[in-house]
């Protein structure tokens, strides 16, 4: 306000003097330095109107319009321990605390700085400036411009935060996500703190004033160029150096310098491994060979073991069929076990070669992973790199003296190992199994399935019925170890004999009756009829007549109806006989005539004699 008042007085004084003499133009700074304000205020020195007008023109042309909230460039003209005096080419100078320049400890007189005109004049008439606010406004302008133009910006990594890093970009705190630091996973964020790095502004949220930057985007752009160059030079069989980028359960991803390739777990080592980390580790540098790739070379298959000589090629000629070898069990399957007899050289022991037993079992019953075993080489194919081994060959074949140990007719005890619908497999000893057909389990019981008679694991007495040495087959019988009860029942249950029993079950077309624990008879429906016309029911006791007994087919047929029907037949025959006897005793008309004729003949003979 003081300056405006002085300007008005200068204008009034100039008008009063009406001095119209033209003067040469002066530099406004020089005019101000030589102008004696004290004499002017006291009215001692008068100023020509033309000079005052010229001064106003110079002020309008050279001094900035000090509008509030405007960012302008100023010059540091003086510095104290706490403040910096900034000239923005306005009517007065501004003061800014050195705290706003802590980021720039080398600030000195003459440096150009950006400031925000906060207030043109405070209550003391002082111009109020802010460098911090100016930096923020300019920083947002620069950040937005960099985002729009996709320019690369410099930033300072200040500290770690949850999920990433805080980066100072143009004085604005931007967020650098952990996934955007590098193309490879970062395990140590602290290594980036305090570093200046290049970034690309990838996202701006104007509502919340959030900025997201990425360093990975710059790397990817460089990698893409490298990738095109590398892909164009790829060839099958080519050996390249790479870095282990990632390890999974199925393989290892290798960075070939911007291009990723996969080494499958089976191509890491000639020996079997459970996990790739047994062979490689993260960030490890190694040479790999290109095995294959697709048409656009986006999927590259690599190999590591192919750089070494195949173990089969180094396998000594001293190993041949029939030799005994030692090895470690590396893999077990249901069908057998793989044995590593030398590094990278494996042989298969099929489950059938683990025991002389023909009973089906699993390889886990004999060995487990890690076991050291001895085996015999059964087959050896060096071209196809295959070897089959056997364990059972280390012990004598039990079938070599089978005819001596198990002759036909000999009796033994065995263990029930398995069922089929038609019989039971019984193990006499390790490697010697025999079959009992279902018909040879019992003399009398009608068995539908072997499980009705025995259980797996039961000990059963058997008799050797047949022996096939070449086919390695034994036919056994269990019922043959006991006497055939049908031999003694053939007289007891002969046709025509009568027995008392109860109806056990009503079945289709008749009923069954249990005469004893061995004999089960069948009664046809029409033979269940009683004398009163009704039929026997389950549990009802009655007399039965054997009408059929077949020992060979173990068949007994009985009838209750035959009991009273036979009596009826006897009664009929007796009645007929009595009737016949009565007819013979009674005289007939013929007999009378015969007697009369005889009497007449006698009388005639007597008369002739006279």
């Amino acid at each position: 306000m003081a300056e405006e008042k002085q300007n008005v007085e200068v204008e009034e004084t100039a008008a009063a003097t009406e001095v119209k003499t033209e003067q040469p133009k002066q530099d406004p700074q020089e005019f101000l330095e030589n102008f004696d304000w004290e004499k002017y205020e006291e009215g001692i020195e008068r100023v020509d109107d033309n000079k005052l007008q010229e001064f106003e023109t110079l002020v309008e042309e050279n001094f900035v319009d000090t509008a509030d909230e405007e960012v302008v460039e100023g010059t540091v003209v003086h510095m104290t321990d706490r403040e910096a005096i900034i000239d923005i080419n306005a009517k007065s100078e501004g003061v800014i605390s050195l705290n706003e320049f802590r980021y720039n400890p080398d600030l000195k007189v003459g440096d150009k700085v950006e400031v925000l005109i906060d207030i043109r004049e405070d209550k003391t008439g002082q111009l109020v400036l802010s460098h911090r606010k100016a930096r923020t406004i300019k920083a947002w302008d620069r950040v937005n411009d960099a985002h729009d133009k996709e320019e690369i910006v410099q930033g300072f990594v200040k500290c770690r935060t949850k999920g990433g890093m805080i980066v100072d970009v143009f004085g604005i705190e931007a967020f650098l996500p952990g996934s955007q630091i590098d193309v490879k996973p970062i395990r140590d964020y602290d290594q980036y703190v305090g570093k200046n790095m290049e970034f690309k502004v990838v996202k701006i949220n104007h509502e919340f004033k959030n900025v997201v930057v990425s360093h990975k985007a710059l790397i990817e752009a460089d990698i893409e160029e490298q990738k095109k160059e590398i892909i164009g030079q790829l060839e099958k069989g080519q050996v390249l150096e790479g870095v282990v980028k990632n390890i999974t359960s199925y393989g290892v991803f290798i960075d070939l310098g911007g291009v990723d390739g996969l080494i499958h777990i089976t191509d890491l080592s000639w020996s079997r491994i459970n996990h790739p980390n047994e062979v490689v580790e993260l960030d490890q540098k190694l040479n790999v060979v290109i095995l294959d790739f697709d048409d656009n070379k986006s999927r590259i298959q690599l190999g590591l073991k192919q750089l070494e000589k195949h173990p089969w090629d180094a396998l000594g000629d001293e190993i041949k069929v029939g030799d005994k070898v030692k090895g470690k069990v590396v893999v077990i399957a249901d069908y057998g076990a793989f044995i590593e007899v030398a590094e990278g050289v494996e042989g298969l022991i099929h489950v059938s070669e683990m025991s002389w037993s023909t009973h089906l079992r699993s390889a886990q019953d004999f060995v487990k992973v890690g076991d050291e075993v001895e085996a015999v080489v059964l087959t050896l194919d060096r071209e196809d790199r295959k070897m089959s081994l056997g364990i059972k060959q280390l012990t004598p074949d039990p079938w070599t003296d089978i005819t001596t140990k198990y002759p036909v007719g000999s009796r033994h005890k065995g263990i029930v190992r398995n069922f089929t619908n038609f019989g039971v497999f019984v193990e006499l000893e390790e490697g010697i199994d025999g079959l009992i057909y279902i018909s040879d389990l019992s003399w009398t019981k009608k068995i539908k399935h072997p499980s009705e008679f025995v259980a797996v694991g039961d000990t059963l007495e058997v008799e050797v019925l047949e022996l096939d040495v070449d086919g390695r087959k034994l036919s056994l019988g269990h019922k043959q170890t006991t006497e055939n009860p049908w031999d003694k029942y053939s007289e007891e249950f002969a046709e025509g004999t009568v027995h008392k029993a109860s109806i056990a079950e009503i079945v289709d077309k008749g009923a069954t009756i249990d005469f004893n624990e061995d004999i089960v008879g069948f009664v046809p429906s029409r033979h269940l009829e009683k004398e009163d016309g009704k039929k026997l029911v389950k549990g009802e006791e009655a007399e039965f007549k054997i009408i059929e007994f077949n020992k060979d087919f173990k068949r007994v047929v009985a009838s209750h109806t035959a009991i009273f029907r036979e009596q009826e037949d006897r009664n009929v025959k007796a009645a007929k006989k009595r009737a016949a006897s009565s007819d013979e005793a009674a005289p007939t008309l013929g007999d009378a005539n015969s007697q009369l004729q005889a009497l007449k003949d006698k009388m005639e003979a007597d008369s002739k004699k006279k």
Side-chain angles (χ1 to χ4, degrees), residues 128-197:
V128 180
L129 305 176
S130 174
H131 177 62
R132 183 183 294 110
K133 292 181 179 180
R135 286 188 69 215
T136 301
I137 293 173
K138 282 295 183 180
W140 272 103
D141 292 341
R142 294 172 69 184
V143 165
N144 279 279
D145 189 55
H147 177 261
D148 295 339
K149 296 179 179 179
E150 298 185 354
E151 294 178 347
I152 298 174
V153 298
Q154 288 285 337
F156 176 75
V157 182
K158 297 178 65 176
C159 62
R160 286 189 58 178
T161 188
K162 183 178 180 181
M165 317 285 288
I166 297 298
V167 179
D168 186 325
V169 179
F170 304 137
I172 295 176
E173 289 189 346
F175 177 59
L176 172 63
S179 61
Q180 296 298 314
I181 297 176
D182 206 333
V183 291
K184 59 184 179 181
I186 301 299
R187 291 175 290 280
D188 181 17
Y189 287 5
D190 292 333
Q191 62 179 312
Y192 295 96
V193 176
K195 289 185 177 181
N196 288 303
M197 299 173 63

Side-chain angles (χ1 to χ4, degrees), residues 17 28 39 69 212 244 248 261 336 342 404 458 501 556 571:
T17 57
K39 291 181 178 181
E69 301 296 328
V212 179
V244 177
T248 67
T404 303
D458 286 354
V556 177
N571 291 340

